[in-house]
Amino acid sequence: CSGHSLLVGHAFPWPDCDRKNLEPYGGFVTTQAKLRGLGIGAGYFAPFQYEAWSRIPEVEILAVCDDSESRAHDMAAQHGISRHYSDWRRAIEIERPDFVDIITPPHSHAEICAYAAERKVNIICQKPLSDDFETSKRIVENANTSGVRFMVHENWRWQPWYRKIKEISNHGLIGDLTHIHVITRLGDGWGDEPYSPRQPYFQDYPRLLIYETGVHFIDTFRFLMGEITGVHAQVYQRNPK
């Protein structure tokens, strides 16, 4: 999704990611009244989002919404948010937020994004953006047509080691980057019941490594070296569960 990388919510896990650091990368920076947000989702990743928003003085999260009213209630109470909903459409209509923070599984993103964009509500959406590339393009095109600001959650580019690589590159200390070689060993997805009870739907998710982890690498490479023109991957399954 060219030109639409994150950059709030997950954007603040590190102390040096202050408002000044956000400005060159398209983050929300405002000297006006607080931006009013609606959180849609109260699952595994949601606490990271709400906690991060609480540290941004220019933002107020109005309410939490989740299909499970009890989860929405508990999440709102945990983060000092006064209202909660079990119907995200109703929440958008009642709260009239400046933006929605969509923290839900990929299959739900297209519908929520379309509804918010139609009502001129700015959108921050969890990755992966959707279950397939064509739907992802449609989400972005629809947001552009509607004239709303659209961003995708990404956090790897904000990790301090990648920020340092970017700083070194910008200062020309090692010349132009020509290639990147990364070796990593992921700590999840193992055992007889991988991702359970954290994110059990991952067990049946097609091309999980690409959608859930590969997009992190792609965004990080974009951050370090510019836009990507093509992607090729060889993957295989290590855990039959």
Side-chain angles (χ1 to χ4, degrees):
C1 300
S2 176
H4 296 274
S5 288
L6 156 350
L7 303 164
V8 192
H10 270 6
F12 285 83
W14 310 106
D16 63 343
C17 291
D18 55 19
R19 291 189 295 276
K20 185 174 104 177
N21 286 333
L22 273 177
E23 289 174 358
Y25 305 105
F28 275 141
V29 179
T30 178
T31 57
Q32 302 176 3
K34 285 188 175 183
L35 289 167
R36 301 161 63 255
L38 170 66
I40 302 178
Y44 174 77
F45 271 107
F48 300 101
Q49 304 298 113
Y50 297 121
E51 193 280 329
W53 285 122
S54 72
R55 290 186 277 123
I56 305 176
E58 295 88 352
V59 173
E60 176 187 6
I61 300 300
L62 304 171
V64 174
C65 182
D66 192 87
D67 289 344
S68 167
E69 186 169 1
S70 63
R71 269 204 313 262
H73 171 273
D74 293 348
M75 189 67 65
Q78 179 182 347
H79 295 279
I81 300 169
S82 59
R83 294 182 293 281
H84 69 278
Y85 298 85
S86 59
D87 184 331
W88 54 265
R89 296 177 186 82
R90 182 169 178 267
I92 291 174
E93 296 297 340
I94 293 176
E95 298 294 342
R96 303 285 180 173
D98 297 315
F99 70 92
V100 290
D101 184 357
I102 302 171
I103 324 165
T104 60
H107 69 269
S108 65
H109 293 170
E111 183 179 11
I112 301 174
C113 287
Y115 193 90
E118 184 178 344
R119 285 151 184 80
K120 306 301 181 184
V121 177
N122 298 300
I123 301 164
I124 302 176
C125 187
Q126 187 58 252
K127 47 66 61 177
L129 189 50
S130 78
D131 293 330
D132 61 81
F133 184 56
E134 291 304 318
T135 302
S136 297
K137 288 198 300 182
R138 189 164 63 250
I139 291 173
V140 174
E141 290 166 358
N142 184 56
N144 287 338
T145 300
S146 299
V148 300
R149 186 164 192 174
F150 179 81
M151 292 174 282
V152 178
H153 286 297
E154 271 298 347
N155 63 337
W156 280 23
R157 65 163 64 199
W158 297 99
Q159 292 175 348
W161 40 92
Y162 293 128
R163 308 294 293 179
K164 192 64 178 180
I165 292 172
K166 183 68 171 179
E167 177 186 338
I168 292 172
S169 175
N170 285 345
H171 285 86
L173 299 179
I174 58 175
D176 295 332
L177 294 178
T178 59
H179 65 279
I180 301 174
H181 181 67
V182 178
I183 299 175
T184 182
R185 184 183 186 279
L186 303 178
D188 52 7
W190 301 97
D192 292 334
E193 296 185 10
Y195 302 106
S196 182
R198 193 187 86 179
Q199 291 164 292
Y201 64 91
F202 276 3
Q203 295 177 15
D204 301 316
Y205 205 83
R207 291 171 287 184
L208 175 65
L209 184 61
I210 300 298
Y211 282 116
E212 181 58 24
T213 305
V215 291
H216 279 307
F217 286 109
I218 291 172
D219 183 70
T220 302
F221 296 162
R222 288 179 62 219
F223 170 62
L224 295 175
M225 299 185 68
E227 290 301 332
I228 294 173
T229 58
V231 177
H232 174 75
Q234 289 180 315
V235 298
Y236 61 95
Q237 184 175 352
R238 292 291 301 272
N239 187 349
K241 301 295 185 179

